[in-house]
Amino acid sequence: MADVALLTTSDGRPLAQALVQAQARARRRAFFLVLPLLLFVIFSFILPIGQMLHRSVYNDGFSASAPELGAWFAQNPASTPPDEAAFAALAADLANMQANRLAGEAGTRINYVIPETRSLFTRTARDAKNLTPPYQAALLAVDPKWGDPALWQAMRAASSAYTLDFYLVSADFQRTADGSIERVDENRQIYIALFVKTFILSAIITVLCLLIAFPVAHLLATLPMAKANLLMILVLLPFWTSLLVRTTSWMALLQGEGVINDLLVWIGAIAEDGRLRMINNQTGTIIVMTHILLPFMILPLYSVMKVIPPSYARAARSLGATSWTTFRRIYLPQTLPGVAAGSLLVFILAVGYYITPALVGGADGQLISNLIDFHMDRSNWSMAAALSAMLLVGVLILYWLYDRLVGIDRLKLG
Amino acid sequence: MKKTLILSTALAGFAVAAQADVTVMSWGGAYGAAQTEGHLKPFTAASGIATVMVDSDNPATPIKAMVEANNVTIDVASLEYADAIRLCDEGVLEVIDPAVLPAGADGTPAMDDFLPGAVTECGVSTDIWATIYAYDTTKFTGEAPTTAADFFDTTKFPGKRGVRKGAKAVLEFALMADGVPAAEVYATLSTPEGVDRAFAKLDTIKGDIVWWEAGAQPPQLLADGEVVMSTAYNGRVFNAAVAEGKPFQIVWDGQIYENEMYAIPKGAPNKDAALEFIAYATSTEGLRQQAQWISYGPARKSSLLEPLIFNDGKTEMSPHLPTNPANLTNALESGSEFWVDRDAELNERFNAWLAAG
């Protein structure tokens, strides 16, 4: 075996080695080709989402501005009641907060857990440099709330920048004074119910889109070219129109004194005082979002239906199948990849929709994204991030279920 | 061709950014227009410093993000009083030295001329505005609503109500309508029973409420006939009624007023020019000029020494200002410290209440 000559290239290198080198070169070239896209995805997608997820468990509003207190908490176990050293650390931190304008930030972080503590921090910090030992008595004289065990528990929890508190709140739970976890009062529970509502409304919108889009897409796919093109333009025209314009036109159509109600009153279908409430509620959200998301259902369906050979259906009919059987057993199964793609697209878009429910949703047509926006507005980014992360997880779970039930390789987007 | 277009657009963008020495961010609509006409244009004419107005639903929101990202693009922001205090505490705003504020036109030193509370560490008041409610006079031919309680009386005054979506000013209004005297509103709202009471009052009309978010919406809702009465910012209703001749009537009973503040975000690109702008805009004359465009009251005593006339040349402003004694019989000054502390908690409850259907 040993004397079998190695296969070499014309310049004398072993062939296997040359082949490996050539392949490595090709791989490098391929890598450089996708590099711009890779960088783009990293900077515009992976990094921001990673940052968002990080924010949902990280808030240094308090820990960064209270280093002395953080040190005291680190030295003393959770059950230690605050002693003079603890109050001295607190006084030093408050004076430092005032000097660097951090009291608002620190107070805000504690205020998420215990209401009315924000002003306690800002107020006390304002005069912190005039505090004299013994600090315990001095601080309690400023406000007896400084002795509250719940406040100390909250400060201890916040002295670490990493926390799961925002996820607790996102699931309608809260921490009690002794550190255990309980559900919030019934009149403050909102997030879980709203997540459920968001998914239910999105499902309703997806089903409505499918029911409306299926016949339209079929018509598009079977009409002669000239007519199909015209119809296609009618489908695409609203798609090209600004989202806000479409939403406001729906407001003009649907409102109490709007076109549809006026028409119904005029033909006598409803009484003047029985005008339908079709906007500023859940109905409004469903109607308008169904319309806005419709093209996302029609287009994938159309692209799939277009390539289904009509001869299959004709063959079924010639073999004696009724038109319903032909549809159910021959046509419908072939459209499934389009149905799956359209439904997934519409559902995922609907789950994250925000402008339309904000404009036409009134009180009960709001989705979880509107509350994420609310927390962004209040600069409570950790809370917004935690809610977004939960939404992301919800969508990923559904995506996984979808993959198990339908198979992601059956997806056909066009 | 396309490249040239992109390049020239980018250059034009740079040119605008370089020329604009003071960028002001405000609330848009009739209010933004009043500031543009009353502050920005005269300031540019007087000082030669160019100004640009940018709109926002609430300027307090983007500022925090800008400062944190170290990318501040505006120089002056128009903020609600509680936000000006909150952001100042968080170190997001520049501290303004009251020494830069000019004395009143009558020679009164600035700090005596301004109404109490109108100058804070980081902000200077541009006007005093109020949340009131207004109704469409054509909808009530017989008896017309006159009190805060009437807003909640749907048997006497049937029809939909517009209310701002948020806890602030809504809970106070509900309590005042329920008979709580203005002086006790915040004490009541500090107790769990008081909060329950406010929500119970709101429950009585919950099914009839159309919620609004932007200040320009209430006049629109009234004009569309979508609601028969709505809470609103008084200046927006005034402009719709006086400038556009809409049949809207303001009810001052139960009004909630507060100062609007100009402030400078930390790291503003043109801080010195911004300071100059604020000193000019909040001078006796600057406050008067804005008040000629919208019915928000100036916060300097010297601005009211001579009668204020609307820009139509005939409408006397003083009966339309929140600070007019006749409008203050049952009025509440918005509690800034209360909202700085309670905003998160009460809005959480409010959102839950809203979503509960």
Side-chain angles (χ1 to χ4, degrees), chain A residues 55 105 381, chain B residues 63-72 92:
Chain A
R55 272 221 189 250
E105 203 74 62
W381 294 338
Chain B
I63 289 183
K64 177 104 197 269
M66 283 186 188
V67 173
E68 200 145 302
N70 254 330
N71 183 22
V72 180
V92 174

Side-chain angles (χ1 to χ4, degrees), chain A residues 55 101 104-105 108 111 115-116 118-119 122-123 126 187-190 197 255-257 277 279-280 358 362-363 366 371 374 376-379 381, chain B residues 61 64-65 68 86 88-91 95 121 160 165 196 207 209-211 213 224-226 337 340-343 345 347-349 351-352 354-355:
Chain A
R55 272 221 189 250
R101 298 207 152 267
E105 203 74 62
T108 304
N111 207 60
E116 277 194 273
R118 198 184 179 286
S119 68
T122 51
R123 219 167 351 105
R126 232 163 264 151
N187 62 23
R188 283 175 54 205
Q189 290 175 12
I190 173 168
K197 187 198 238 175
Q255 61 188 5
E257 309 266 321
R277 288 201 74 182
I279 202 160
N280 294 322
Q366 301 290 304
L371 271 200
F374 167 82
M376 291 294 290
D377 260 9
R378 309 274 153 167
S379 309
W381 294 338
Chain B
T61 311
K64 177 104 197 269
E68 200 145 302
R86 178 174 64 87
C88 188
D89 281 339
E90 289 175 9
V95 174
E121 227 180 333
K160 297 259 181 299
K165 191 164 40 176
D196 288 345
I209 294 178
V210 175
W211 299 97
E213 282 175 279
D224 287 348
E226 194 64 2
E337 185 160 281
V340 161
D341 264 352
R342 294 289 198 128
D343 187 82
E345 181 209 4
N347 269 304
E348 218 167 72
R349 170 88 184 263
N351 284 334
L354 207 57

Side-chain angles (χ1 to χ4, degrees), chain A residues 237-250:
Chain A
L237 208 58
F239 196 46
W240 294 331
T241 316
S242 149
L243 178 71
L244 283 176
V245 172
R246 278 188 286 164
T247 307
T248 26
S249 349
W250 274 109

